[in-house]
């Protein structure tokens, strides 16, 4: 736990408004053993998460039978998770074990850019997956006509543009801020609220960008996801009895698994949003670990739900390994 005196002392070191360095204060400053244990745990989780996500994406790309819209969306989600995790966890781990946990303002702005872009892109991919499930379950006979790999790739390009372009507004605002407060933050990562809290400039543009991005990148996708799965479950309930009851149970099980991933993702986003707006005070010793979990739990959970629990992906993985062993 970081005492107020140590935080104030750290603040004094970087209180110069002209400084280009931001001190990122971590937990357990006076307990090096605990910090190294946390570093080891995060390193293990990071390694396992990267291995699982990259393996899932690689299996889908290499196995021709999996080159279908839903699996391509899974691969895109895994790739996005890998990028988002790499953008954040290495810096958090470095701050835990390093004596110098400073970050430059340009590096902080760059991390902010990838954080917000990654969150929006993940939100759009999860939305596309919910639309795919809706068409597959409610309109199975029209699925091939409505959903294709080409349309998935077009949706990906549109999602990248919609996720990236608005965040350049954040970069423009953050780059023009005048920093006049102590360059110290107790957050494990950089975002627009952290950067804005260090300045004395006009934050009205960043507030506008924040609300617009929350509506377009989080709220609207969430509403669409809820609507799609609501329609799916309503359709399955109407047809739950009959000769295809077994397939309906399988569809319900699949959709519930996907909905669980969506709920976890948006729950952490909601926590970050509430925390950033300071709607209520969250103790730092609670807030800091929860912020880290936002970038640990969803990326680690996705390969389990979409990979290990999907029979086609498990069989494809076994076939690939078997072929590699046979060649060797």
């Amino acid at each position: 736990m970081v005492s107020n005196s140590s935080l104030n002392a750290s603040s004094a070191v970087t209180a110069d408004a002209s400084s280009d360095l931001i001190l990122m204060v971590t937990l357990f400053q006076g307990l090096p053993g605990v910090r190294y244990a946390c570093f080891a745990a995060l390193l293990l989780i990071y390694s396992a998460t990267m291995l699982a996500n990259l393996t899932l994406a690689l299996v889908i790309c290499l196995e021709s039978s999996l080159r279908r819209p839903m699996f391509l969306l899974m691969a895109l989600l895994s790739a996005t998770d890998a990028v988002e995790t790499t953008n954040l966890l290495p810096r958090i781990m470095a701050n835990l074990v390093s004596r110098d946990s400073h970050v430059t303002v340009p590096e902080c702005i760059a991390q902010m850019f990838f954080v917000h872009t990654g969150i929006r892109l993940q939100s759009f991919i999860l939305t596309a997956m919910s639309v795919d499930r809706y068409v597959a379950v409610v309109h199975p006979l029209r699925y091939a006509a409505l959903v294709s790999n080409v349309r998935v790739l077009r949706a990906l390009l549109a999602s990248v543009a919609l996720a990236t372009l608005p965040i350049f507004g954040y970069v423009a605002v953050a780059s023009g801020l005048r920093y006049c407060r102590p360059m110290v933050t107790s957050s494990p990562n950089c975002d627009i609220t952290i950067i804005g809290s260090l300045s004395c400039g006009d934050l009205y543009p960043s507030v506008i960008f924040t609300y617009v991005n929350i509506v377009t990148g989080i709220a609207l996708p969430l509403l669409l996801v809820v609507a799609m799965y609501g329609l799916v479950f309503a359709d399955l309930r109407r047809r739950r009895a009959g000769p295809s009851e077994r397939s309906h149970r399988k569809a319900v099980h699949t959709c519930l698994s996907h909905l669980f991933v969506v709920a976890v993702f948006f729950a952490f986003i909601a926590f970050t949003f509430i925390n950033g707006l300071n709607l209520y005070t969250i103790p730092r010793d609670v807030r800091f670990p929860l912020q880290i979990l936002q970038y640990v739990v969803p990326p680690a959970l996705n390969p389990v739900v979409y990979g290990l629990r999907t029979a086609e992906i498990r069989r494809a993985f076994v076939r690939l390994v078997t072929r590699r062993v046979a060649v060797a």
Side-chain angles (χ1 to χ4, degrees):
M1 180 176 178
V2 180
S3 64
N4 291 333
S5 59
S6 63
L7 183 58
N8 292 335
S10 299
S11 302
V13 175
T14 55
D16 184 4
S18 63
S19 174
D20 191 41
L21 297 175
I22 300 173
L23 177 63
M24 305 185 75
V25 180
T26 64
L27 291 176
F28 313 118
Q29 287 293 306
L31 301 170
V34 176
R35 287 193 289 116
Y36 280 103
C38 292
F39 170 84
L42 285 178
L43 179 60
L44 180 62
I45 294 172
Y46 172 69
S47 301
T49 299
M50 289 295 293
L51 178 62
N53 279 287
L54 294 179
T55 299
L56 177 58
L58 190 62
V59 168
I60 293 173
C61 291
L62 293 179
E63 187 63 31
S64 58
S65 64
L66 297 180
R67 293 172 192 164
R68 306 202 304 270
M70 186 60 187
F71 294 114
L72 290 179
L73 289 171
M74 290 181 186
L76 293 173
L77 183 62
S78 290
T80 305
D81 284 337
V83 172
E84 182 82 345
T85 303
T86 301
N87 178 46
L88 291 158
L89 281 190
R91 164 56 64 179
I92 293 172
M93 291 187 291
N95 289 342
L96 281 170
V97 297
S98 175
R99 294 183 178 180
D100 183 9
S101 56
H102 287 86
V103 59
T104 65
V105 171
E107 183 183 350
C108 194
I109 293 175
Q111 187 185 73
M112 173 204 71
F113 175 84
F114 286 105
V115 165
H116 289 290
T117 300
I119 289 174
R120 288 172 63 88
L121 189 55
Q122 288 169 315
S123 177
F124 294 150
I125 293 174
L126 289 172
T127 303
M129 294 174 77
S130 70
V131 173
D132 176 271
R133 288 300 85 199
Y134 165 76
V135 177
V137 175
V138 181
H139 303 288
L141 298 180
R142 301 179 59 194
Y143 182 83
L146 295 175
V147 182
S148 65
N149 290 345
V150 172
R151 289 183 176 177
V152 167
L153 293 177
R154 289 175 181 171
L156 171 65
L157 293 177
S159 297
V160 171
L162 291 173
T164 304
L165 294 179
I167 309 305
F168 282 110
Y170 278 156
V171 174
V173 170
S175 300
L177 290 176
R178 179 173 57 89
Y179 299 100
C180 56
R181 292 195 173 101
M183 303 291 278
V184 180
T185 178
S186 58
S187 175
N189 63 276
C190 294
D191 59 33
I192 189 62
T193 58
I194 297 301
I195 295 175
S197 67
L198 303 177
S199 74
C200 296
D202 182 13
L203 297 181
Y204 183 75
S206 69
V207 173
I208 295 298
F209 276 121
T210 297
Y211 280 105
V212 169
N213 281 322
I214 288 172
V215 171
T216 60
I218 303 299
L220 290 180
L222 177 59
L223 289 175
L224 185 56
V225 168
V226 172
M228 290 297 101
Y229 281 112
L231 292 173
V232 167
F233 287 122
D235 183 78
L236 290 172
R237 184 176 181 180
R238 285 195 303 267
R239 298 185 294 160
R240 66 180 180 272
S244 58
E245 183 178 356
R246 181 178 179 182
S247 63
H248 288 168
R249 286 200 303 268
K250 181 180 178 182
V252 169
H253 182 267
T254 300
C255 290
L256 284 175
S257 299
H258 292 190
L259 198 56
F260 175 69
V261 172
V262 170
V264 170
F265 173 78
F266 283 105
F268 277 109
I269 297 301
F271 166 78
T272 300
F273 168 65
I274 293 172
N275 179 62
L277 293 181
N278 295 318
L279 297 182
Y280 61 90
T281 302
I282 304 175
R284 180 175 179 271
D285 291 350
V286 175
R287 184 183 71 247
F288 194 98
L290 286 177
Q291 286 180 284
I292 294 178
L293 288 177
Q294 175 184 338
Y295 309 110
V296 171
V297 175
L301 186 65
N302 291 340
V304 175
V305 173
Y306 297 124
L308 292 179
R309 294 175 61 86
T310 304
E312 290 178 275
I313 292 179
R314 293 199 305 269
R315 289 194 293 266
F317 176 75
V318 172
R319 285 197 299 269
L320 285 174
V321 172
T322 303
R323 287 202 295 265
R324 296 293 178 183
V325 171
V327 171

